[in-house]
Amino acid sequence: MSNVEESQRQKKIGSVLQRDLVEVLQGAATQGGMHGILISVSKVKVTVDLGVAKVYLSIFPNDKAKELLVGIKSNTPLIRHELAQRTKNQLRRMPNLEFFIDDSLEYIDQIDKSLKGQENPIKDPSILDPRKKS
């Protein structure tokens, strides 16, 4: 099996974490008085050793994303504990969580707007922000 392809176990753990993370994060935002914020977990990639889960978040409105990510990262131990409680019947060991902003929708939107407007990134690639590797 190649390193690129996720195992069924990795995918299963990722989907379990993804489902519960949405509830935990959205609940925390609402309890924290942050109404009108939508947090979605676009994907969860679990490492081969199942020790780390990379969590990709889409946050709306987008201008709150960086601020919210800082808050989420600082509360990672609490979030991990809450997840462990929710998944204790499904997971023996809770992976460490790493959070990232998933900017793919924003990137697609930027391309779409550019193609509709005067600024065409195909003719002038310098218009687009360089894509970040994650």
Side-chain angles (χ1 to χ4, degrees), residues 13-107:
I13 290 171
S15 67
V16 165
L17 293 175
Q18 185 173 7
R19 185 192 63 228
D20 286 333
L21 265 168
V22 170
E23 292 175 21
V24 170
L25 294 174
Q26 193 63 55
T30 308
Q31 278 181 333
M34 299 185 95
H35 300 286
I37 298 237
L38 183 65
I39 301 172
S40 69
V41 179
S42 48
K43 67 184 168 199
V44 177
K45 286 195 158 295
V46 182
T47 56
V48 178
D49 67 357
L50 311 177
V52 177
K54 292 184 177 185
V55 181
Y56 294 86
L57 305 173
S58 289
I59 298 172
F60 181 84
N62 200 24
D63 60 341
K64 300 273 189 220
K66 284 188 174 43
E67 175 190 336
L68 224 57
L69 184 63
V70 170
I72 288 169
K73 284 182 174 181
S74 69
N75 285 299
T76 299
L78 291 170
I79 295 167
R80 190 169 178 252
H81 177 76
E82 175 69 24
L83 270 178
Q85 295 303 309
R86 288 171 177 252
T87 60
K88 64 184 172 206
N89 296 332
Q90 296 160 305
L91 300 179
R92 246 189 316 240
R93 196 172 133 250
M94 176 57 58
N96 289 319
L97 304 173
E98 293 179 3
F99 293 96
F100 303 91
I101 295 293
D102 180 2
D103 62 352
S104 57
L105 289 176
E106 183 185 340
Y107 190 72

Side-chain angles (χ1 to χ4, degrees), residues 114-131:
S114 296
L115 289 172
K116 287 178 182 167
Q118 301 302 318
E119 300 173 351
N120 189 329
I122 293 170
K123 293 177 185 153
D124 181 7
S126 67
I127 293 167
L128 288 177
D129 292 334
R131 186 80 172 130

